[in-house]
Amino acid sequence: MLVAVLPDADAVSRQAATLVAGLLTRKPDCVLGLATGASPRGLYQDLVRRHREDGLDFSRATTVNLDEYLEIPADHPASCRSYMAAHLFSQVNLAPRNIVMPDSQPAGELTAYCAALEQRIAAAGGIDLQILGIGLNGHLGFNEPGSSLGSRCRIVRLTDTTRTANRGNFPDGEVPTAAITLGLGTIAEARRLLLLATGAAKAEMVAAALEGPVTAGLPASLLQMHRDVVVLLDPAAAARLTRLDHYAAGLEMVRRLTPERLA
Ligand code: GLP
């Protein structure tokens, strides 16, 4: 696990964008796993800037989104689809046919719909890089505490913690109770996981996820089982970690010996 504590949230976004841009350059037909929420907003902004200024090319890439609320219209302002359209899809040259996004009102049988999403990911070659935020209760995507570490794409019930945290996005205060999410087992199959966290509110969960026991009670602890994890934090989100010196020294060593891992 590579843990980098960067000076501020902008530096986190820039470093994350460097990793995504590096992958797009090395492997133009890569599969990017995308998340919504506040954490990756600056990353998308920086990718859009690199697309405009440096010609960063998305035309052969595939994107897969982690999750979506159920039972709201696709164009609801708080839907993950609306978020992605505003922050990335409308601003870069992704091919619409290469955008894989759970539907908020899927047609037909839901279990079959979830299985078909998993098949689309497999058919695209699997996720190369999965961008992740961490919920205030340690969730990944909409995998709430108690989700099986081997879970697949499925319909889930949202906890009150999550519904309260996300209430501000719903002008009427009516946050759905159900969502569709890639499972923790699906996320674990991505070749690389990139977790972004900023702000003091995340400090406790970040420390528990990275340094506490691996447990379904804290879905983000799944990171400890993965072979290639990069965690980018600002100082506030890193404040409760106990092995900061070791992480810093490890990062320095990677920069010196295998700099391509961070390019
Ligand atoms: C949301 C999303 C997650 C996101 C997380 C953290 O509920 N379902 O995919 O990563 O919570 O959000 P934020 O980055 O806004 O703190």
Side-chain angles (χ1 to χ4, degrees):
M1 180 144 54
L2 284 176
V3 182
V5 183
L6 298 160
D8 54 30
D10 283 347
V12 167
S13 298
R14 279 197 305 275
Q15 178 60 61
T18 297
L19 289 173
V20 175
L23 174 62
L24 277 165
T25 307
R26 268 195 319 282
K27 187 178 178 186
D29 61 347
C30 63
V31 180
L32 294 172
L34 305 179
T36 54
S39 307
R41 214 174 277 151
L43 156 63
Y44 297 140
Q45 210 171 23
D46 204 47
L47 288 175
V48 168
R49 184 190 61 75
R50 289 173 197 236
H51 170 67
R52 291 201 181 129
E53 291 176 10
D54 312 332
L56 182 65
D57 181 24
F58 291 77
S59 63
R60 293 174 57 202
T62 295
T63 61
V64 180
N65 265 83
L66 267 180
D67 49 13
E68 180 59 286
Y69 295 99
L70 281 183
E71 294 167 342
I72 55 171
D75 62 355
H76 187 289
S79 74
C80 298
R81 187 179 291 271
S82 297
Y83 171 106
M84 289 312 310
H87 295 288
L88 190 70
F89 296 161
S90 66
Q91 317 225 31
V92 298
N93 64 333
L94 273 162
R97 67 175 180 286
N98 292 343
I99 294 174
V100 182
M101 175 105 222
D103 210 318
S104 58
Q105 296 174 311
E109 209 259 312
L110 289 176
T111 307
Y113 179 82
C114 293
L117 268 180
E118 293 264 1
Q119 277 156 18
R120 275 195 81 181
I121 296 170
I127 296 170
D128 288 296
L129 175 70
Q130 177 65 58
I131 296 157
L132 296 167
I134 180 171
L136 290 175
N137 60 1
H139 72 205
L140 292 181
F142 275 137
N143 292 283
E144 301 281 37
S147 297
S148 158
L149 298 178
S151 53
R152 310 303 308 187
C153 181
R154 69 202 185 289
I155 305 306
V156 291
R157 188 172 185 284
L158 297 177
T159 59
D160 290 342
T161 314
T162 297
R163 295 180 67 229
T164 304
N166 294 357
R167 184 151 289 142
N169 300 330
F170 289 81
D172 54 5
E174 286 296 314
V175 188
T177 52
I180 181 168
T181 186
L182 299 189
L184 294 173
T186 325
I187 292 169
E189 284 170 9
R191 292 181 189 94
R192 172 172 264 195
L193 303 181
L194 174 60
L195 179 79
L196 312 179
T198 56
K202 298 291 171 71
E204 194 185 327
M205 275 305 148
V206 166
L210 303 189
E211 297 183 343
V214 175
T215 165
L218 205 167
S221 65
L222 172 83
L223 266 61
Q224 296 180 46
M225 302 287 291
H226 195 275
R227 63 187 185 273
D228 187 355
V229 179
V230 178
V231 181
L232 302 179
L233 306 170
D234 72 351
R240 301 284 292 272
L241 290 167
T242 61
R243 294 195 277 266
L244 283 171
D245 289 348
H246 179 69
Y247 302 139
L251 198 66
E252 206 32 61
M253 191 197 73
V254 166
R255 284 205 174 103
R256 190 163 51 83
L257 298 178
T258 53
E260 64 282 358
R261 285 179 70 191
L262 289 167

